[in-house]
Amino acid sequence: MKRLDLVQLTIIIVGIFSGFFFLLSLPQFLLYLYSWFREGLRGGGYMETVIWNIIVSGSYLLAAFYCIKKSKQFAQWICNNGELNAEVNFALDKSELLFMLFIGLGIYGLITHVPVLLVGIFKKIKDYSSHIETDTLGATGSSNLAVQSITILSFFTLVYYAKIFADFFAGKINNTEPEDEIAATAELND
């Protein structure tokens, strides 16, 4: 199994999780859509919630689709940036396992935080167009959008520099393997 295959498998797993999160958000979306139609398509809370659910559910569905369909291209991009072309056997060392962990965490973080940022931007634009000043501690505050942007940037950095982080933390783990007692006694008996 090549590292490219391993990275691609991780991206596909993240895509499957995104599809699962889409399926989890679908009943809530359908409930609010039904309630909005029942109220006569009036604006207000139902419309805002329907739009929020469209953004979140759509982001999960889009992430699932692209992670599964474009997994090879994403894996090639990640491997080319990390110069990962060597063969990998199933006895993975700590650096490779940490690399896969960082890639998975980074992609998962991007998938879960980008919809929240999009919803915050949508609410900020809506408030701005309604001339409502809600720049307090609420979900549309500029500071919250800045925090979300920094969070997304940190997850992107985690994906982009996953190999460097993995090598750094793997270097910190210097445990020695204990000697195999069964093999040692078998050699003494021979």
Side-chain angles (χ1 to χ4, degrees):
M1 172 183 267
K2 296 181 182 178
R3 289 186 192 206
L4 178 67
D5 297 336
L6 192 59
V7 173
Q8 185 178 3
L9 177 64
T10 302
I11 293 171
I12 289 172
I13 289 171
V14 169
I16 291 169
F17 276 112
S18 295
F20 175 72
F21 293 138
F22 167 75
L23 291 176
L24 286 179
S25 68
L26 197 57
Q28 181 182 7
F29 169 72
L30 293 175
L31 174 70
Y32 280 113
L33 187 64
Y34 170 74
S35 300
W36 189 40
F37 276 110
R38 193 183 67 211
E39 293 293 320
L41 300 175
R42 282 185 266 158
Y46 284 118
M47 184 180 82
E48 184 177 321
T49 307
V50 166
I51 292 174
W52 181 85
N53 279 305
I54 287 172
I55 292 172
V56 170
S57 299
S59 297
Y60 283 141
L61 184 62
L62 206 64
F65 177 75
Y66 276 110
C67 281
I68 293 171
K69 180 139 175 95
K70 302 285 186 180
S71 62
K72 187 162 187 106
Q73 289 86 355
F74 291 147
Q76 286 173 341
W77 180 79
I78 291 169
C79 287
N80 288 339
N81 287 332
E83 298 177 14
L84 306 171
N85 297 322
E87 290 290 325
V88 173
N89 56 19
F90 287 106
L92 301 173
D93 71 344
K94 53 195 167 212
S95 175
E96 291 163 340
L97 289 173
L98 286 170
F99 174 73
M100 297 315 307
L101 173 72
F102 289 140
I103 292 292
L105 284 175
I107 293 174
Y108 172 76
L110 287 171
I111 289 171
T112 56
H113 285 85
V114 167
V116 175
L117 178 68
L118 293 175
V119 168
I121 291 171
F122 165 75
K123 287 183 177 182
K124 189 72 172 174
I125 291 170
K126 182 186 71 121
D127 291 347
Y128 181 74
S129 66
S130 302
H131 303 296
I132 299 174
E133 290 295 323
T134 58
D135 199 25
T136 59
L137 298 176
T140 60
S142 298
S143 61
N144 192 20
L145 292 177
V147 168
Q148 288 296 328
S149 299
I150 291 170
T151 303
I152 289 170
L153 181 66
S154 66
F155 280 117
F156 179 78
T157 303
L158 182 64
V159 170
Y160 193 78
Y161 293 110
K163 182 65 175 158
I164 295 169
F165 294 143
D167 289 340
F168 174 76
F169 286 111
K172 299 291 182 185
I173 303 171
N174 292 324
N175 297 325
T176 58
E177 288 288 324
E179 190 175 313
D180 188 3
E181 295 178 17
I182 296 173
T185 56
E187 288 178 9
L188 291 176
N189 291 338
D190 290 336

